[in-house]
């Protein structure tokens, strides 16, 4: 069925594990199970299946279960048993993932045995242990679509000053005083070039890159000019400089973000504090950005954008969580995993949720 094309029937990890004949057998097993879940899985007697969006994350988790069994048995098999399932639950219980992920893994395996029961006459599985519900693996807060746009626009306004030539002498004197404090230099040394710098592209390029790439604070801190490929609108992050230090990553950017980076890199060459560093961005005190300075910047942007941060934990990760949430909504978990540079699909699973405003829209449509 066409819906199978949207599902991870055989993951890349499993494909590497299997020889050609095992791969064909495993694919047939998976297709039969997933097709049954889509057609009958929810209420078999009424031929009511699960939605693709429900089956898809479970398919990844079932695949992980099979690979766990292969490791336990020392080789390939599709003859999974209740003992295998209970052993995996104990393995998960000892792991450091949150209870929500563990519960979802258990739910996926129960659906696998539900299929085996209805199609092969095997008994359903009653797990020895269960996991308490929590929300520790869910993003605690993220920017909505509207807030993302507002923050993007606020970055253009942040720190900007009126055009030098459009000011009266009295107005120019007041802005000189402001810029002297901002750039920590004598007022007498403020020149038109300081106006240009105040209206520069550092903050827009930083914010827009983070809104696209979901940059972690440590990635902003470690960022290098060599990452930037504006011709192809991507960041190329080498594994030795990535946060998890496991893989090279190619991360997509909007064309407007690539243009902002192009503008900033050209402007950056004019500032002496960048002469001895290949960091893309430094604070006004010529230090790399940190979690604390990025959090302060985000709060400033929220103030400009009139975003209420009361009762919200607004950090640079709030931007990252918004990328994960809406990339999953617009594309799929695979796209989110690549964009956010997750080694494990498990980590990406926390974004497999419908944003609250979409759920509210659904309620409105439901009447």
């Amino acid at each position: 069925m066409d819906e199978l094309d949207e599902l991870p029937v055989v993951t890349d990890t499993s494909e590497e594990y299997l020889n050609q004949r095992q791969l064909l057998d495993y694919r047939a097993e998976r297709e039969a199970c997933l097709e049954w879940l889509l057609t009958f899985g929810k209420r078999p007697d009424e031929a009511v299946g699960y939605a693709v969006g429900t089956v898809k994350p479970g398919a990844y988790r079932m695949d992980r279960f099979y690979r766990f069994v292969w490791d336990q048995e020392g080789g390939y098999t599709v003859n999974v048993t209740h003992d295998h399932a209970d052993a995996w639950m104990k393995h998960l219980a000892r792991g450091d993932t949150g209870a929500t992920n563990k519960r979802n893994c258990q739910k996926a395996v129960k659906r696998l045995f539900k299929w085996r029961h209805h199609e092969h006459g095997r008994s359903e599985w009653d797990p020895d242990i269960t996991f308490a519900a929590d929300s520790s693996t869910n993003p605690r807060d993220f920017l909505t679509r509207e807030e993302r746009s507002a923050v993007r626009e606020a970055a253009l306004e942040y720190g900007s000053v009126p055009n030098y030539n459009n000011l009266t002498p009295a107005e120019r004197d007041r802005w000189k005083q402001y810029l002297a404090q901002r750039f920590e230099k004598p007022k007498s040394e403020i020149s038109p070039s300081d106006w240009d710098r105040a209206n520069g592209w550092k903050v827009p390029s930083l914010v827009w890159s983070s809104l696209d790439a979901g940059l972690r604070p440590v990635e902003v801190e470690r960022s290098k000019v060599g990452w930037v490929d504006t011709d192809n609108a991507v960041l190329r992050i080498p594994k030795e400089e990535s946060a998890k230090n496991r893989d090279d990553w190619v991360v997509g950017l909007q064309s407007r973000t690539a243009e902002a980076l192009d503008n900033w890199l050209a402007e950056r060459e004019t500032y002496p504090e960048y002469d001895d560093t290949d960091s893309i961005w430094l604070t006004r005190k010529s230090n790399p950005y940190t979690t604390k300075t990025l959090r302060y910047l985000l709060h400033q942007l929220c103030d400009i954008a009139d975003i209420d941060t009361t009762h919200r934990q607004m950090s640079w990760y709030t931007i990252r969580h918004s990328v994960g949430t809406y990339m999953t909504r617009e594309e799929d978990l695979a796209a989110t995993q690549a964009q956010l540079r997750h080694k494990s699909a498990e980590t990406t699973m926390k974004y497999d949720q419908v944003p609250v405003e979409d759920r509210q829209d659904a309620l409105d449509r439901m009447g």
Side-chain angles (χ1 to χ4, degrees):
M1 56 194 302
D2 292 342
E3 290 176 316
L4 281 179
D5 294 337
E6 302 180 42
L7 300 178
V9 177
V10 179
T11 65
D12 291 342
T13 306
S14 290
E15 187 169 353
E16 292 175 2
Y17 195 104
L18 305 173
N19 65 37
Q20 191 60 36
R21 283 177 289 188
Q22 292 169 338
L23 178 60
L24 290 173
D25 184 64
Y26 182 57
R27 181 180 295 279
E29 176 88 356
R30 290 275 285 174
E31 286 179 346
C33 175
L34 297 176
E35 184 172 348
W36 185 86
L37 290 173
L38 291 167
T39 308
F40 301 101
K42 184 179 287 188
R43 294 194 296 274
D45 295 341
E46 302 174 35
V48 177
Y50 293 107
V52 172
T54 300
V55 175
K56 189 169 188 175
Y60 281 107
R61 294 182 175 107
M62 288 181 209
D63 181 73
R64 284 185 53 233
F65 171 56
Y66 276 109
R67 283 186 276 116
F68 171 83
V69 173
W70 301 341
D71 288 338
Q72 293 292 302
E73 296 297 328
Y76 170 76
T77 181
V78 292
N79 185 29
V80 293
T81 67
H82 294 174
D83 287 342
H84 288 141
D86 287 327
W88 195 39
M89 293 305 104
K90 291 176 183 176
H91 172 75
L92 291 172
R94 290 190 290 267
D96 58 2
T97 60
T100 298
N101 178 66
K102 295 171 184 176
R103 282 164 58 88
N104 287 334
C105 288
Q106 187 171 87
K107 188 184 298 182
V109 174
K110 290 181 77 170
R111 288 174 180 164
L112 171 61
F113 281 100
K114 185 178 182 180
W115 165 67
R116 290 169 61 84
H117 169 68
H118 282 273
E119 293 297 292
H120 299 287
R122 308 296 174 86
S123 59
E124 295 197 56
W125 174 53
D126 183 19
D128 287 343
I129 61 176
T130 58
F131 300 104
D134 74 20
S135 58
S136 61
T137 61
N138 290 333
R140 299 194 66 176
D141 216 331
F142 59 88
L143 299 174
T144 66
R145 292 177 191 270
E146 292 75 15
E147 288 171 342
R148 282 174 56 83
S149 295
V151 167
R152 194 179 291 273
E153 293 171 1
L156 292 174
E157 186 177 344
Y158 180 85
S160 63
V161 296
N163 185 284
Y164 181 87
N165 295 321
N166 293 339
L167 296 173
T168 66
E171 291 170 336
R172 194 173 296 160
D173 187 71
R174 286 196 296 271
W175 280 107
K176 279 187 176 182
Q177 181 65 41
Y178 163 77
L179 292 175
Q181 294 173 353
R182 177 173 167 180
F183 295 137
E184 297 182 343
K185 58 194 296 187
K187 180 180 174 182
S188 60
E189 296 180 10
I190 296 296
S191 67
S193 64
D194 293 302
W195 259 262
D196 294 336
R197 182 168 189 172
N199 294 324
W201 285 96
K202 183 182 77 171
V203 169
S205 66
L206 166 56
V207 174
W208 292 8
S209 296
S210 296
L211 283 167
D212 290 356
L215 295 176
R216 302 174 177 93
V218 69
E219 290 172 328
V220 175
E221 181 180 355
R222 296 177 183 174
S223 64
K224 301 290 188 291
V225 172
W227 293 8
V228 182
D229 179 354
T230 55
D231 290 340
N232 294 293
V234 296
L235 294 178
R236 302 183 186 277
I237 306 177
K239 63 181 179 181
E240 59 271 14
E241 295 171 5
S242 67
K244 300 301 183 181
N245 199 30
R246 291 173 179 166
D247 285 300
D248 296 336
W249 297 101
V250 179
V251 185
L253 302 172
Q254 292 188 39
S255 57
R256 65 193 296 206
T257 301
E259 185 175 353
L261 276 166
D262 208 22
N263 291 338
W264 165 239
L265 292 182
E267 178 187 342
R268 177 185 175 281
E269 292 295 315
T270 68
Y271 302 139
E273 60 264 38
Y274 288 93
D275 288 348
D276 298 322
T277 179
D278 56 357
S279 294
I280 302 177
W281 303 284
L282 297 175
T283 67
R284 67 179 60 174
K285 294 185 179 293
S286 301
N287 296 317
Y289 279 88
T290 64
T291 298
K292 183 177 179 180
T293 53
L294 289 170
R295 183 180 182 276
Y296 175 81
L297 173 58
L298 179 58
H299 277 261
Q300 295 291 105
L301 294 169
C302 287
D303 287 343
I304 294 170
D306 199 25
I307 296 172
D308 186 5
T309 60
T310 309
H311 308 305
R312 297 179 68 179
Q313 295 193 2
M314 301 292 279
S315 71
W316 209 248
Y317 274 95
T318 310
I319 294 176
R320 180 172 172 82
H321 295 330
S322 75
V323 177
T325 298
Y326 290 109
M327 180 65 74
T328 303
R329 184 69 171 156
E330 294 298 324
E331 291 293 331
D332 55 26
L333 287 168
T336 303
Q337 183 178 354
Q339 188 71 0
L340 292 186
R341 305 165 299 288
H342 289 156
K343 178 66 175 176
S344 169
E346 250 183 54
T347 309
T348 318
M349 290 295 181
K350 65 185 178 183
Y351 296 108
D352 183 40
Q353 58 181 344
V354 180
V356 64
E357 67 266 28
D358 289 351
R359 286 182 266 132
Q360 291 165 340
D361 290 343
L363 291 172
D364 291 338
R365 292 193 300 271
M366 290 161 58

